[in-house]
Amino acid sequence: MKDQQGSNRISSGVIAAVSAVVVAVGGGVAWFTSQSGNTPTPSNPSGRIAQPAQPSTRQPANEQTPNVYWLRSNDKNVALVPQPVKVASIRPNQPLESAFQSLLAGPTEGTDSTTIPKGTKLLGLKTENDEVHVNLSEDFTSGGGSTSMMGRVGQVVYTATSLNPKAKVYIDVNGKPLDVLGGEGVELQQPLTRESFQKNYPL
């Protein structure tokens, strides 16, 4: 009987020990599982938060210098006079667009002038190969005689070709080709170039 009771005690002790181990292991697993569901332990020993590198979306700006052309009286004639405009361009048409915004705003100082009517807006501008398409609002055609008309056409042609003097210029008004300009009916033969302007429409 004593041997049987002793073996029972040993068996009970072994079972209790095994149970304790199982409980301990189970508790550890539960603790580890609960911890792994939370914020993971940072692997950075210094405690600094590493910011992810952001991809650069901006292209490096290419500075270009188109010219805005104003009118200046020289004795009996009128000359087209350039004024440089520095533009840090990101989009392809941005330099000429900025030049035309300056042109339509009018001269700010000096003796230079413009015959482009106030209120004229740039509705669109596109460069394609050796062509420049300029779309202006209807204000462009208002007021002035033939000299005024030729002056404003020259300003547009020379400003549009300031980055490419050999380019061909197409002038639209409200999206339609400008064939006749002003009340005096000055006909424009498009496309216009610097060479054709000097030949056909001398100032």
Side-chain angles (χ1 to χ4, degrees):
M1 286 293 291
K2 288 183 180 181
D3 292 341
Q4 188 174 359
Q5 289 176 354
S7 63
N8 288 340
R9 287 173 187 164
I10 293 171
S11 298
S12 299
V14 170
I15 292 170
V18 170
S19 299
V21 170
V22 170
V23 170
V25 171
V29 170
W31 178 85
F32 178 79
T33 303
S34 66
Q35 292 300 313
S36 64
N38 296 333
T39 304
T41 304
S43 59
N44 190 348
S46 65
R48 294 179 181 176
I49 299 175
Q51 296 293 336
Q54 296 294 332
S56 177
T57 56
R58 294 191 62 181
Q59 298 295 326
N62 297 319
E63 189 174 272
Q64 292 183 290
T65 309
N67 287 316
V68 175
Y69 279 83
W70 307 115
L71 299 171
R72 182 181 299 174
S73 296
N74 293 329
D75 297 329
K76 295 181 181 180
N77 297 325
V78 177
L80 286 159
V81 180
Q83 177 188 351
V85 179
K86 287 187 178 181
V87 181
S89 62
I90 298 175
R91 293 179 289 104
N93 294 331
Q94 190 170 356
L96 283 183
E97 286 177 1
S98 298
F100 267 93
Q101 296 297 350
S102 298
L103 176 67
L104 300 181
T108 55
E109 59 184 19
T111 58
D112 299 335
S113 63
T114 180
T115 58
I116 298 176
K118 287 185 178 181
T120 302
K121 295 179 178 61
L122 179 66
L123 303 181
L125 187 146
K126 182 176 68 173
T127 57
E128 196 172 51
N129 299 325
D130 287 333
E131 297 179 356
V132 181
H133 296 259
V134 183
N135 186 16
L136 300 170
S137 65
E138 195 168 353
D139 303 272
F140 181 73
T141 63
S142 63
S146 59
T147 301
S148 174
M149 296 297 173
M150 289 303 92
R152 70 187 69 172
V153 169
Q155 288 181 264
V156 169
V157 170
Y158 273 71
T159 300
T161 58
S162 60
L163 294 177
N164 181 7
K166 298 293 185 181
K168 300 175 182 178
V169 180
Y170 293 84
I171 303 175
D172 291 350
V173 170
N174 287 343
K176 297 179 180 179
L178 182 61
D179 298 324
V180 179
L181 183 60
E184 297 185 15
V186 177
E187 294 186 6
L188 294 182
Q189 298 176 0
Q190 301 206 53
L192 295 159
T193 63
R194 292 190 177 193
E195 184 179 357
S196 69
F197 180 81
Q198 291 174 359
K199 179 180 178 181
N200 300 322
Y201 312 102
L203 294 175

